[in-house]
């Protein structure tokens, strides 16, 4: 079932946004280099050779949430729609809880089958800001500061991508699921660097999406022109910015300080034929704690 932060969009507009996210999922670059995963026998996943679905869900098919939807959940839904649309692939399980008699081991994001193998795929979409001028993964954090790149990579490497092995060792692999012959990870998103900083994460993929971050105070001094603000869950595709109303610089500053949370914005070119740089404008207090 599809979910939305709000489903006030007309059907055609909502479907255009979903299609933009589908295209983004198929074409966006990984966040980190493939050799990161090779150390534990995991492959870098891609949707690049998949086909777009012919039909899209409508807002009438969606659940309605009072709070903005989690970006990761939205990404899982986009990926699920893509996977179910591939005639040469068969969905085996989505978000399957794995538990032993003693404890819950975790959740299996995706299990699908090709004509020759069963594939376990772990999914994540992450936006990280460089808190310091450093390539160390421990200095790259999520906008809400509840996530850190090094901890996410460790969790993926040691636990999430190893779920089948860990469950088997604990006697908890479900009898109704085939055992995977291959494990993949799909970790997409973007990195955002402060203009005064020179370092990107040391493990960053060469084609990873990038942007800027700065405080509202810095934005007020350095920015000009019109800017579009993007709310969750529409953070994935930069194409969404072209469909948003624009704000001037003081309005962006007021929005950020009133919400006291980072806001994702993009510069709107005069003719809107292409999008300018995108980034997070954060409250002044964000850097002080």
């Amino acid at each position: 079932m599809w979910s939305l932060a709000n489903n006030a969009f007309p059907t055609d507009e909502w479907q255009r946004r979903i299609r933009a996210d589908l295209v983004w999922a198929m074409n966006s670059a990984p966040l980190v280099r493939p050799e990161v995963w090779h150390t534990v026998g995991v492959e870098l996943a891609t949707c690049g050779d998949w086909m777009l679905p012919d039909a899209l869900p409508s807002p009438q098919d969606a659940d309605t949430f009072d709070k903005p939807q989690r970006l990761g959940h939205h990404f899982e839904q986009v990926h699920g729609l893509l996977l179910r649309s591939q005639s040469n692939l068969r969905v085996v399980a989505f978000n399957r809880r794995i538990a032993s008699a003693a404890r819950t081991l975790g959740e299996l994001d995706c299990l699908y089958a090709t004509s020759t193998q069963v594939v376990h795929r772990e999914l994540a979409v992450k936006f990280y800001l460089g808190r310091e001028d450093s390539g160390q993964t421990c200095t790259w954090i999520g906008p809400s500061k509840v996530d850190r790149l090094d901890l996410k990579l460790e969790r993926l490497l040691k636990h999430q991508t190893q779920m089948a092995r860990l469950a088997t060792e604990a006697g908890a692999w479900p009898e109704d699921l085939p055992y995977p012959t291959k494990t993949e990870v799909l970790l997409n998103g973007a990195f955002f660097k402060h203009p005064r900083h020179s370092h990107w994460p040391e493990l960053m993929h060469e084609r990873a999406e990038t942007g800027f971050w700065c405080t509202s105070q810095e934005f007020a001094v350095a920015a000009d022109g019109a800017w579009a603000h993007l709310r969750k869950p529409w953070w994935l595709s930069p194409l969404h910015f072209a469909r948003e109303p624009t704000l001037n610089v003081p309005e962006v500053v007021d929005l950020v300080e009133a919400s006291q949370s980072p806001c994702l914005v993009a510069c709107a070119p005069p003719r809107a034929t292409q999008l300018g740089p995108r980034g997070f404008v954060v409250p002044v207090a964000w850097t002080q704690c």
Side-chain angles (χ1 to χ4, degrees):
M1 182 68 73
W2 281 85
S3 305
L4 282 177
N6 69 75
N7 62 359
F9 296 116
T11 297
D12 58 346
E13 171 63 17
W14 192 72
Q15 290 179 334
R16 277 194 289 267
R17 288 177 180 258
I18 293 297
R19 184 169 293 276
D21 282 345
L22 290 167
V23 172
W24 181 88
M26 293 172 64
N27 297 314
S28 63
L31 270 186
V32 299
R33 298 195 297 267
E35 54 264 33
V36 174
W37 314 114
H38 294 168
T39 60
V40 292
V42 173
E43 296 295 321
L44 187 63
T46 179
C47 305
D49 58 350
W50 290 6
M51 301 292 292
L52 279 169
D54 294 327
L56 298 178
S58 71
Q60 288 72 31
D61 302 319
D63 293 330
T64 303
F65 279 72
D66 294 329
K67 296 181 179 180
Q69 185 186 348
R70 286 193 304 113
L71 186 64
H73 182 56
H74 179 70
F75 182 57
E76 288 176 358
Q77 292 176 317
V78 168
H79 178 269
L81 179 57
L82 271 176
L83 178 54
R84 290 187 178 96
S85 303
Q86 308 310 306
S87 59
N88 61 331
L89 303 177
R90 177 175 60 87
V91 176
V92 178
F94 273 129
N95 297 327
R96 179 66 177 269
R97 178 175 172 268
I98 306 296
S100 66
R103 64 188 179 98
T104 297
L105 297 179
E107 195 170 75
L108 198 70
D109 281 354
C110 176
L111 198 67
Y112 70 93
T114 70
S115 60
T116 58
Q117 58 188 344
V118 176
V119 183
H120 167 209
R121 176 176 285 195
E122 284 296 312
L123 312 168
V125 59
K126 296 293 181 181
F127 284 28
Y128 289 111
L129 286 64
R131 183 71 181 272
E132 302 172 13
D133 189 8
S134 170
Q136 296 183 39
T137 53
C138 63
T139 65
W140 290 81
I141 62 176
S144 62
K145 298 185 179 179
V146 297
D147 191 22
R148 217 171 70 188
L149 177 58
D150 62 326
L151 298 179
K152 182 60 181 177
L153 292 178
E154 181 179 24
R155 176 75 175 172
L156 280 165
L157 287 165
K158 296 184 178 180
H159 187 82
Q160 290 175 259
T161 60
Q162 305 303 310
M163 185 65 68
R165 176 183 60 81
L166 295 173
T168 300
E169 292 174 354
W173 184 256
E175 294 182 358
D176 62 321
L177 292 183
Y179 193 82
T181 54
K182 180 181 179 181
T183 301
E184 302 174 330
V185 63
L186 187 66
L187 174 59
N188 291 5
F191 292 116
F192 299 85
K193 179 169 65 70
H194 192 279
R196 290 199 304 268
H197 295 173
S198 58
H199 292 85
W200 292 105
E202 55 194 1
L203 301 177
M204 186 177 81
H205 193 279
E206 61 182 9
R207 294 189 294 108
E209 294 184 27
T210 60
F212 71 90
W213 76 263
C214 66
T215 68
S216 58
Q217 193 174 63
E218 292 166 329
F219 189 78
V221 173
D224 58 14
W227 294 78
H229 168 227
L230 207 62
R231 295 173 176 84
K232 289 183 181 179
W234 308 111
W235 279 9
L236 298 183
S237 173
L239 292 177
H240 294 313
F241 285 107
R243 315 195 74 86
E244 296 294 332
T246 57
L247 306 172
N248 59 34
V249 170
E251 287 172 329
V252 172
V253 171
D254 289 345
L255 174 69
V256 172
E257 289 303 319
S259 67
Q260 280 299 294
S261 62
C263 292
L264 184 60
V265 300
C267 181
R271 298 183 181 179
T273 56
Q274 63 181 14
L275 292 166
R278 66 169 175 166
F280 281 97
V281 181
V282 307
V284 173
W286 190 89
T287 62
Q288 298 170 352
C289 58

